[in-house]
Structure formats: structure tokens, C-alpha cells
Amino acid sequence: MITRVILILLLPFTCVLSAFGTQAPSLIRYNISADKVDGKQSYYIDVLTLALEKSRPEYGDFELKPVFMSMPQSRTIKLVADRKLIDIVWTMTSPEREQQLLPVYFPIMKGLMGYRIAIIRRDEQLRFDHINDLEDMKQLVFGQGNDWPDADILQSHGFSVVRGASDNLLNMLVKGRFDAFPRALHEPWEEVSGRSDVMIETGLLVKYSAPIYFFVNADNHQLASRIQFGLAKAIDDGSFDELFFSHPTTAGILQKAKLEQRRVIELNNPNLSSESQALTSSKNLWLQ
């Protein structure tokens, strides 16, 4: 319902845009790591491309341009906020990020980032087999990235969290700095591949509301409106779900993680804004 309302509200604006005739393609710059290729990023680029294609008749042509630089999320967010080098970032939301940037209120991973399974040290599965509830889990220490909203969610529920640079967390786990490294369902498989010192924990699932949005500069209302418009069309015509369930990053991941065999521990996300909370009533936007 929310996406349909947004779609209706945007129509007059987009019709005015189309009346101006042919315009130069809109340039949209996004960041890609220069030294560490992350195949999962292709999903977000493909979703962004879908939204821009769906909005092409109303908003005109576009050009997507990668900017190859290695940087943490906090740096990427600041560059968008300052309107330097890049125009858009995709990241898990938080009230601070929604105040600093202009969010496109559409969960582009259908909430998948809130389905968390852990990477653990090899041969420690037995320790996790005895964890059945929230209080049992609080005996563990979790590792998370320095600037990840997930760390705040876990800490709000009384978990002990060790923060570190994202590219060093697996090494910190192996060295015993913490007991488990929670990852979204689609993330750990490639990260443990070829390693003999870590494994994916087999029995637990931590679940909380964790939408990932596209964010743009706070003054870039035209780009935000265009993406929202395109995503709304993609949801309505089924092309968004088609992409989500067939993309190499996400296809079959619910079955691969064997969710039916896992003990589910649900957490509330106290850091959702009222706008993000309102989206939870739109069932077609989330995994069911």
C-alpha cells in the first residue's frame, strides 16, 4: 500500500519532467572497492539499474558510473552527504543515517540482512548446540564492524560485542577475540570458502528487522524520487521479486541456510525510525 501511495503522489511530478523533452543522461556515481572485489555488490547495482530503467520513460536516460575506491561505510556515507565523488550508497538504515542522508524508503533486500547466521571457529559447533534462547546467547561474545548498525542492535539486547574493521573480523574470530561473527544469510558462504579454520554455525538463526535502503544526498530529491518511483513500478509488475529470487547473490539462499532446522531467536530493532516502522505493514516488501 505504501509503495502504491508513493507512486500516485509522484506521477504529477514526473509528468512535468517529461514535458521538458530530451535531456542529457543523469549521471549517477557509486562506489566499488578498488582492491577487494565483493560479488554481492552486483545485486545492489542490478536493483538500482532496474529502478532507473523502470523510471526511464518519466525521468529520461541515465548513466551509471562506478568510482573505484576502498573505504569503510562511514567514509562512503560522508562523501554522499558532502556530494563529493559519489551520488548514492546502499546500506542498512539507522536514525542517524536517515538524518544525515535522504533515504529511499524501500527495503531492497526484502529484510534479508536481518536474518543472521554465524561464522564460528572450526570444531566448535558442539558449544552452540546447547544454546536455545536469548539468555543462553548472552553467554557469547559477538564480532561486528565498527560502523555497523547491527552492533548497536545486539548491544541494546545486552549482548557483548567486539567491534573491528570489517576486513579483519574473521582473523579476530580465529584469534579468539570473540565467539561468533553473525552474517546475513547470503554473506558467509563465500567468506568461509577455502578456509579450514572457520565454519558456518548450523543450528541458530537470529532475526530482526534490518532494512537496507538506497541513500542519496539530502538535497538530491529528484534522484530519490526517481528511484522510489522505479522500485514501486518494479514491485507492482513483479520484476523486483523476479530479480531478488533469481539473482546469483540471493537465489535459493533460504533453502541453502536450512532455516527449518534452525532455532530462531527474534530480536526487536529499537533503532528503527517511525518511517521504517511504518514500512513493516507492507508485506509485499519483505520476506515471508
Side-chain angles (χ1 to χ4, degrees):
M1 178 63 69
I2 289 176
T3 54
R4 292 180 183 275
V5 171
I6 293 172
L7 181 62
I8 292 170
L9 290 175
L10 287 174
L11 279 174
F13 175 69
T14 55
C15 289
V16 170
L17 283 177
S18 62
F20 286 97
T22 303
Q23 300 178 354
S26 298
L27 177 64
I28 300 139
R29 301 164 298 175
Y30 61 91
N31 174 240
I32 290 292
S33 175
D35 54 14
K36 185 179 180 182
V37 178
D38 184 353
K40 298 186 297 294
Q41 296 303 306
S42 66
Y43 171 80
Y44 302 105
I45 298 167
D46 289 346
V47 171
L48 178 59
T49 302
L50 176 65
L52 295 172
E53 287 288 357
K54 290 291 179 181
S55 59
R56 187 192 293 270
E58 294 81 10
Y59 285 83
D61 291 334
F62 64 91
E63 178 186 353
L64 279 173
K65 181 180 180 181
V67 175
F68 294 95
M69 295 179 65
S70 298
M71 64 183 84
Q73 282 187 8
S74 55
R75 174 62 175 161
T76 310
I77 290 168
K78 189 174 190 312
L79 286 176
V80 176
D82 293 342
R83 214 162 190 171
K84 294 180 179 178
L85 297 178
I86 54 177
D87 304 296
I88 191 166
V89 61
W90 42 84
T91 185
M92 184 174 160
T93 194
S94 70
E96 294 75 20
R97 291 174 180 181
E98 291 181 34
Q99 292 170 8
Q100 187 176 7
L101 302 173
L102 181 60
V104 177
Y105 286 109
F106 186 105
I108 54 179
M109 286 291 290
K110 294 182 76 71
L112 186 63
M113 288 298 288
Y115 287 65
R116 294 270 158 170
I117 56 179
I119 300 176
I120 62 175
R121 288 182 288 275
R122 179 70 65 178
D123 300 326
E124 289 199 1
Q125 179 60 49
L126 183 61
R127 178 183 183 186
F128 290 81
D129 289 341
H130 299 289
I131 295 173
N132 295 301
D133 55 30
L134 186 61
E135 292 307 312
D136 289 342
M137 286 196 69
K138 288 181 180 179
Q139 300 172 23
L140 302 172
V141 179
F142 293 94
Q144 292 286 270
N146 285 321
D147 50 8
W148 295 359
D150 306 270
D152 298 328
I153 295 171
L154 292 172
Q155 287 182 317
S156 74
H157 286 274
F159 290 102
S160 297
V161 177
V162 173
R163 302 184 188 229
S166 59
D167 58 357
N168 196 39
L169 287 168
L170 278 179
N171 290 331
M172 292 171 66
L173 170 66
V174 172
K175 292 177 181 178
R177 293 285 306 280
F178 46 80
D179 303 309
F181 177 25
R183 306 295 283 139
L185 286 192
H186 65 294
E187 293 180 318
W189 313 98
E190 182 179 339
E191 294 169 0
V192 304
S193 178
R195 296 191 61 138
S196 60
D197 51 359
V198 295
M199 60 178 284
I200 298 174
E201 198 279 327
T202 61
L204 293 169
L205 171 71
V206 176
K207 184 180 176 183
Y208 49 83
S209 182
I212 285 189
Y213 298 146
F214 288 122
F215 288 86
V216 301
N217 179 274
D219 295 325
N220 200 348
H221 294 278
Q222 180 169 339
L223 180 56
S225 296
R226 175 173 187 162
I227 295 170
Q228 184 81 67
F229 180 84
L231 290 173
K233 286 181 69 174
I235 273 288
D236 285 344
D237 67 17
S239 56
F240 178 84
D241 279 356
E242 181 180 355
L243 172 62
F244 178 85
F245 287 108
S246 65
H247 195 277
T249 299
T250 48
I253 200 64
L254 300 180
Q255 294 75 26
K256 188 175 183 179
K258 298 180 179 178
L259 295 188
E260 71 282 357
Q261 300 179 17
R262 294 179 178 271
R263 301 179 299 285
V264 180
I265 297 176
E266 294 202 36
L267 305 177
N268 174 55
N269 182 353
N271 299 324
L272 288 183
S273 65
S274 58
E275 291 85 356
S276 292
Q277 287 280 9
L279 282 181
T280 61
S281 62
S282 296
K283 302 302 182 183
N284 61 336
L285 300 181
W286 307 90
L287 288 171
Q288 300 298 321

